[in-house]
C-alpha cells in the first residue's frame, strides 16, 4: 500500500509541476528590476502593460506604472479574503483600485505576500486601458 501511495504522490507531483510551468508561461508578466543606489530612470525595465498581468513579489516589491494619454485604473487582486488580529477582530479584504492620472508615473507598494501573492508568488493586476501604458516591478533591497 505504501508503494502505491508513493507512486501516486510522484504522479500527482509531476502533474502539478507541469500545470505550474504551463501557467507560468501563459500569463503575461512584467519584468522585475533591482533598484540600486544609482537610482532608476523612468524608462528602466518598463514594458507595455497588458489588460491583465502579473508580477513577482517578495514582499518588498514596488510596482511602477507610467500612465498613457488618458487616466487608467490599476486593480490589484487580493488573495486573502480576511485578516484577523487579536484584540481587533476580523476585517474583510478586497481588491484595491488605484487611478493613474494621464501622463503620470505612479509608484505603488510594497505588497505583503500573505495578502497579495497567489500560489506562484505573483501579484495579479488588471488595467482598465493599456494604450500608452507601461509598467515594471522593482525589488527594493534591504
Amino acid at each position: 500500500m505504501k508503494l502505491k501511495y508513493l507512486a501516486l504522490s510522484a504522479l500527482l507531483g509531476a502533474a502539478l509541476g507541469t500545470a505550474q510551468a504551463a501557467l507560468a508561461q501563459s500569463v503575461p508578466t512584467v519584468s522585475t528590476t533591482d533598484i540600486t543606489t544609482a537610482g532608476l530612470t523612468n524608462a528602466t525595465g518598463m514594458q507595455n502593460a497588458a489588460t491583465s498581468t502579473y508580477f513577482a513579489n517578495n514582499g518588498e516589491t514596488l510596482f511602477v506604472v507610467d500612465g498613457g494619454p488618458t487616466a487608467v485604473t490599476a486593480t490589484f487582486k487580493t488573495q486573502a479574503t480576511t485578516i484577523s488580529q487579536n484584540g481587533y477582530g476580523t476585517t474583510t479584504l478586497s481588491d484595491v483600485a488605484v487611478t493613474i492620472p494621464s501622463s503620470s508615473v505612479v509608484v505603488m507598494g510594497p505588497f505583503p505576500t500573505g495578502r497579495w501573492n497567489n500560489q506562484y508568488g505573483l501579484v495579479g493586476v488588471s488595467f482598465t486601458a493599456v494604450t500608452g501604458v507601461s509598467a515594471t516591478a522593482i525589488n527594493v533591497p534591504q
Side-chain angles (χ1 to χ4, degrees), residues 89-117:
T90 300
T91 300
T92 302
L93 301 174
S94 59
D95 297 347
V96 173
V98 178
T99 300
I100 295 100
S102 62
S103 303
S104 297
V105 175
V106 176
V107 179
M108 296 153 275
F111 301 88
T113 58
R115 176 176 181 180
W116 298 106
N117 283 19

Side-chain angles (χ1 to χ4, degrees), residues 46 65-70 72 100-106 131-134:
M46 299 296 267
V65 176
D66 190 351
T70 59
V72 63
I100 295 100
S102 62
S103 303
S104 297
V105 175
V106 176
T131 302
V133 178
S134 56

Side-chain angles (χ1 to χ4, degrees), residues 25-106:
Q25 292 173 1
S26 66
V27 294
T29 58
V30 295
S31 64
T32 301
T33 305
D34 290 326
I35 194 168
T36 66
T37 54
L40 186 74
T41 65
N42 192 21
T44 301
M46 299 296 267
Q47 293 177 264
N48 292 335
T51 306
S52 182
T53 193
Y54 294 86
F55 63 92
N57 177 41
N58 65 7
E60 299 169 352
T61 303
L62 301 176
F63 191 65
V64 181
V65 176
D66 190 351
T70 59
V72 63
T73 300
T75 302
F76 295 88
K77 305 296 181 183
T78 189
Q79 298 300 307
T81 56
T82 61
I83 189 170
S84 297
Q85 177 68 38
N86 288 339
Y88 295 97
T90 300
T91 300
T92 302
L93 301 174
S94 59
D95 297 347
V96 173
V98 178
T99 300
I100 295 100
S102 62
S103 303
S104 297
V105 175
V106 176

